């Protein structure tokens, strides 16, 4: 059986992304290594043992491949990644209370309720909750 172990998100600033994804979104740090010359290798994942074998790599987003890709997604209003939540409306309220900017508030989209936020490091992120 093949499973997803790690996926990455290109970011403007790995340290700033680490702070946002842990302090604001609520992920936990899985790996934080200084590779030298100011290069960080940072992964985060869901807290409380949820998805213990799945990590999100916060990757430097500079370069001839990452930069145009990120810019195109952002300008098109497309999220670079989708996260699930148990209660989207409560999470939306919590995050707005922390100053997070949403580009679209919770609304029904087919089988889910979805909202899109700006992660402050160059990406749009979608939050979804299955409709009941």
């Amino acid at each position: 059986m093949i499973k997803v172990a790690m996926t990455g998100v290109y970011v403007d600033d790995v340290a700033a992304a680490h702070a946002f994804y842990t302090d604001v979104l609520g992920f936990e740090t899985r790996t934080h290594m200084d590779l030298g010359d100011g290069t960080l290798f940072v992964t985060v994942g869901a807290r409380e043992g949820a998805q213990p074998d799945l990590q999100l790599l916060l990757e430097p987003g500079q370069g001839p491949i990452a930069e145009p890709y990120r810019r195109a997604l952002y300008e098109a209003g497309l999220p670079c990644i989708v996260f699930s939540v148990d209660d989207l409306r409560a999470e939306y309220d919590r995050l707005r209370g922390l100053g997070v900017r949403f580009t679209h508030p919770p609304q029904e989209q087919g089988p889910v309720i979805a909202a899109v936020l700006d992660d402050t490091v160059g990406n749009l992120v979608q939050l979804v909750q299955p409709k009941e």
Side-chain angles (χ1 to χ4, degrees), residues 61-110:
Q62 298 73 26
I65 295 172
E67 193 62 37
Y69 169 75
R70 290 181 334 119
R71 185 173 40 256
L73 283 178
Y74 195 92
E75 288 173 0
L78 299 172
C80 70
I81 195 161
V82 178
F83 298 132
S84 65
V85 296
D86 294 329
D87 185 341
L88 181 58
R89 294 191 194 322
E91 198 62 30
Y92 174 78
D93 291 340
R94 181 186 78 81
L95 292 171
R96 285 201 35 157
L98 293 172
V100 173
R101 184 179 75 82
F102 280 79
T103 61
H104 104 42
Q107 51 190 274
E108 292 187 10
Q109 291 183 340

Side-chain angles (χ1 to χ4, degrees), residues 2-79:
I2 296 174
K3 301 187 312 182
V4 176
M6 183 182 299
T7 189
V9 172
Y10 293 116
V11 299
D12 292 339
D13 179 314
V14 174
H18 181 236
F20 183 83
Y21 279 73
T22 55
D23 298 343
V24 178
L25 294 185
F27 287 99
E28 67 181 12
T29 303
R30 299 280 177 83
T31 308
H32 191 285
M33 295 179 356
D34 186 339
L35 301 177
D37 298 326
T39 303
L40 296 175
F41 181 86
V42 177
T43 67
V44 297
R47 288 191 186 274
E48 300 171 12
Q51 298 177 304
D53 58 347
L54 180 59
Q55 299 182 71
L56 177 64
L57 173 62
L58 304 174
E59 297 190 69
Q62 298 73 26
I65 295 172
E67 193 62 37
Y69 169 75
R70 290 181 334 119
R71 185 173 40 256
L73 283 178
Y74 195 92
E75 288 173 0
L78 299 172

